[in-house]
Amino acid sequence: NNKAYKNTGGDTKIGGLPVMRGNEIVGMITETDLFKVFLEMMAAREVGVRVSFLVPNQAGELARVSKMVYKSGGNILSLGTFSGESPSNVLVTIKVEGIEPDALRTLLEPNVLDIQDIRTAVLWYKGCSTCAPDYFVHYLPDFHGFTSRSIR
C-alpha cells in the first residue's frame, strides 16, 4: 500500500518501498535501486558530451533540438527534463555522441535560452586487473571559451 508514501508528496526521507503481490511483500525497492535506474536513464556510464540548457516551456522545443543534433551527425544517448528557473522555461540535459563539445556548443548557443553546463565524459581505466569493471566514466568540464556553471 503506497498511501502513506503518496500522502507525504514524496518529500519524506524514506529509504525503501515494499513491492507487494496481493498482501505479501515480495521485495523492496531501495534508494540504491532508484539511483541505478537514474544512472542508466541519463547514460551516466556512457562516453559522450553532456550538456544542460534552458529552452522555452512550449510544445516542440525538444523535437527542434533533437532534430538539430541529428542533422549534425549526433546521437542522443539520453535526455532528461527538469524544472527550469521559472515556469516559462525547462532545463534539458542530454548526453550526445558523435559531436565534439565545441561543435555542440556552437550548434546550441543560438538556439536555446542559456547553456548551463557542458562537459565531456571519458573512460578512465583503473589499472586494476581484479576490479570489476576495470574502468569508470569521468566528466571533464569544458573550459574552451565557455564558463561552466554547476547545476543545482
Side-chain angles (χ1 to χ4, degrees):
N1 186 345
N2 288 339
K3 285 183 185 177
Y5 181 71
K6 286 179 185 176
N7 290 339
T8 68
D11 295 328
T12 303
K13 180 102 170 110
I14 296 176
L17 293 172
V19 176
M20 306 290 292
R21 185 172 295 131
N23 290 329
E24 182 182 346
I25 295 176
V26 294
M28 288 290 289
I29 298 175
T30 66
E31 289 176 337
T32 301
D33 296 327
L34 296 176
F35 185 67
K36 286 179 182 178
V37 169
F38 179 75
L39 289 175
E40 185 71 25
M41 288 173 44
M42 296 307 294
R45 295 184 176 112
E46 302 296 324
V47 173
V49 180
R50 185 186 72 196
V51 59
S52 297
F53 52 88
L54 290 172
V55 294
N57 188 8
Q58 59 190 34
E61 287 298 312
L62 293 178
R64 186 177 61 79
V65 170
S66 296
K67 189 174 184 178
M68 286 187 305
V69 170
Y70 167 74
K71 285 188 170 188
S72 296
N75 179 37
I76 296 176
L77 299 172
S78 70
L79 183 147
T81 60
F82 308 91
S83 297
E85 295 175 347
S86 74
S88 68
N89 58 58
V90 177
L91 179 66
V92 178
T93 299
I94 59 175
K95 173 76 85 65
V96 178
E97 67 180 359
I99 301 179
E100 294 298 317
D102 289 338
L104 187 58
R105 183 182 332 101
T106 300
L107 175 70
L108 292 177
E109 272 182 332
N111 293 292
V112 301
L113 298 174
D114 184 41
I115 295 179
Q116 302 268 309
D117 187 65
I118 186 167
R119 50 187 72 218
T120 303
V122 296
L123 285 180
W124 286 60
Y125 289 90
K126 295 177 184 173
C128 173
S129 61
T130 60
C131 299
D134 61 349
Y135 63 90
F136 63 97
V137 175
H138 181 70
Y139 285 92
L140 301 174
D142 177 22
F143 294 115
H144 304 289
F146 178 78
T147 304
S148 282
R149 286 191 285 160
S150 295
I151 305 274
R152 312 177 207 36

